């Protein structure tokens, strides 16, 4: 079982629709959760971070975390063509002895169509 | 906001040569920097954690003698790919975290092509 799993997609949504991206993780000790957006050939940029169960909203983006189900999602409202990218789910945990580790999923490719 | 500069953004080299990639935190101090590698259509794989003033911590399967990491100051970490081969061709990305911060800031990445 992969540590962080995402559907690779592509996920196609029409412009203006809601895009729903999902991620599951295997380590129950995970404490921090992030969504990054990565355009082709570029490095990831942080979209959202979430640390506790529930929803967190920032503009058109809403992150949802359910630690009991080991599930984190990202909703993008009013999707725009510029949102077309690969979305990486990342899960962090503090390591025994100090330090922390961030594990990335393989990413979901989102295509927003005109 | 925190900015991480990575250089060079792309490099082409001959097989057997060594390539150095620099990662600088421009407006904050980073006691820890991270080096990732990303092959096409794959996720970021952590290669090593670079600790200022001490040896890097390498992930399982990553050869420390091939991927030399030096973190000589609080704002600079370097990754040297020694005796590069075509299979080392990849997108190398560094990231850093400011003291007390929870989120990573990524550099723009360095695309290495070994001929």
């Amino acid at each position: 079982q992969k540590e962080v799993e995402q559907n690779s997609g592509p996920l196609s949504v029409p412009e203006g629709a809601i895009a729903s991206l999902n991620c599951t993780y295997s380590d129950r000790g995970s404490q921090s959760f992030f969504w990054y957006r990565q355009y082709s050939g570029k490095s990831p940029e942080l979209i959202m971070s979430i640390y506790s169960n529930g929803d967190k909203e920032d503009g058109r983006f809403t992150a949802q975390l359910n630690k009991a189900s080991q599930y984190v999602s990202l909703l993008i409202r009013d999707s725009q063509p510029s949102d077309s990218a690969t979305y990486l789910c990342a899960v962090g945990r503090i390591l025994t002895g100090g330090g922390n580790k961030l594990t990335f999923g393989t990413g979901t490719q989102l295509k927003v169509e005109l | 906001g925190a900015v991480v500069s990575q250089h060079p953004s792309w490099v082409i080299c001959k097989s057997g040569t060594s390539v150095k990639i620099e990662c600088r935190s421009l407006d904050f101090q980073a006691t820890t920097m991270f080096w990732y590698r990303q092959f096409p259509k794959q996720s970021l794989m952590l290669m090593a954690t670079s600790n200022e003033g001490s040896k890097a911590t390498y992930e399982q399967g990553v050869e420390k003698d091939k991927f030399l990491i030096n973190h000589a100051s609080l704002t600079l970490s370097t990754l040297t790919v020694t005796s590069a081969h075509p299979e080392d061709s990849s997108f190398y990305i560094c990231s850093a975290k400011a003291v007390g911060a929870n989120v990573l800031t990524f550099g723009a990445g360095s695309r290495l092509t070994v001929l």
Side-chain angles (χ1 to χ4, degrees):
Chain A
Q1 182 185 11
K2 292 181 181 177
E3 292 184 60
V4 180
E5 290 207 54
Q6 294 181 257
N7 188 318
S8 61
L11 172 66
S12 294
V13 299
E15 184 178 6
I18 296 175
S20 178
L21 304 163
N22 304 313
C23 172
T24 58
Y25 59 95
S26 61
D27 186 352
R28 286 194 172 274
S30 301
Q31 297 153 317
S32 53
F33 307 86
F34 307 90
W35 283 99
Y36 286 86
R37 178 174 61 198
Q38 186 176 26
Y39 292 111
S40 180
K42 304 295 184 182
S43 67
E45 55 179 322
L46 182 67
I47 299 296
M48 292 282 288
S49 60
I50 188 167
Y51 305 99
S52 56
N53 282 328
D55 295 358
K56 179 181 178 182
E57 184 175 321
D58 183 1
R60 296 187 295 114
F61 300 97
T62 299
Q64 300 173 317
L65 174 61
N66 184 326
K67 290 186 178 180
S69 299
Q70 296 174 242
Y71 174 92
V72 57
S73 66
L74 179 69
L75 300 178
I76 306 174
R77 289 180 298 282
D78 188 24
S79 295
Q80 301 297 309
S82 59
D83 294 327
S84 299
T86 296
Y87 288 80
L88 301 171
C89 172
V91 175
R93 65 166 296 175
I94 296 176
L95 300 175
T96 303
N100 50 54
K101 180 176 180 179
L102 197 61
T103 302
F104 286 84
T106 53
T108 298
Q109 185 183 5
L110 174 65
K111 293 184 177 180
V112 180
E113 300 168 332
L114 296 172
Chain B
V3 177
V4 173
S5 172
Q6 192 172 338
H7 177 82
S9 57
W10 60 271
V11 58
I12 301 173
C13 70
K14 292 182 179 180
S15 185
T17 60
S18 295
V19 174
K20 180 186 285 187
I21 302 170
E22 292 188 350
C23 180
R24 294 180 185 272
S25 55
L26 296 187
D27 50 1
F28 66 99
Q29 293 184 331
T31 54
T32 304
M33 292 184 175
F34 303 88
W35 288 95
Y36 292 85
R37 180 168 55 184
Q38 186 178 36
F39 292 107
K41 299 190 183 299
Q42 295 187 24
S43 189
L44 279 73
M45 296 301 296
L46 179 65
M47 299 175 66
T49 301
S50 171
N51 305 297
E52 186 269 336
S54 64
K55 292 183 179 180
T57 304
Y58 289 81
E59 295 299 302
Q60 191 173 11
V62 178
E63 299 175 57
K64 63 180 181 180
D65 294 330
K66 180 168 181 64
F67 299 100
L68 300 178
I69 292 173
N70 184 282
H71 194 153
S73 76
L74 287 171
T75 60
L76 173 64
S77 175
T78 60
L79 167 68
T80 301
V81 183
T82 63
S83 186
H85 291 283
E87 58 265 30
D88 298 323
S89 299
S90 187
F91 192 43
Y92 292 86
I93 310 172
C94 74
S95 67
K97 189 165 60 172
V99 176
N102 284 322
V103 297
L104 291 178
T105 299
F106 283 88
S110 300
R111 187 163 301 282
L112 170 64
T113 301
V114 184
L115 302 177

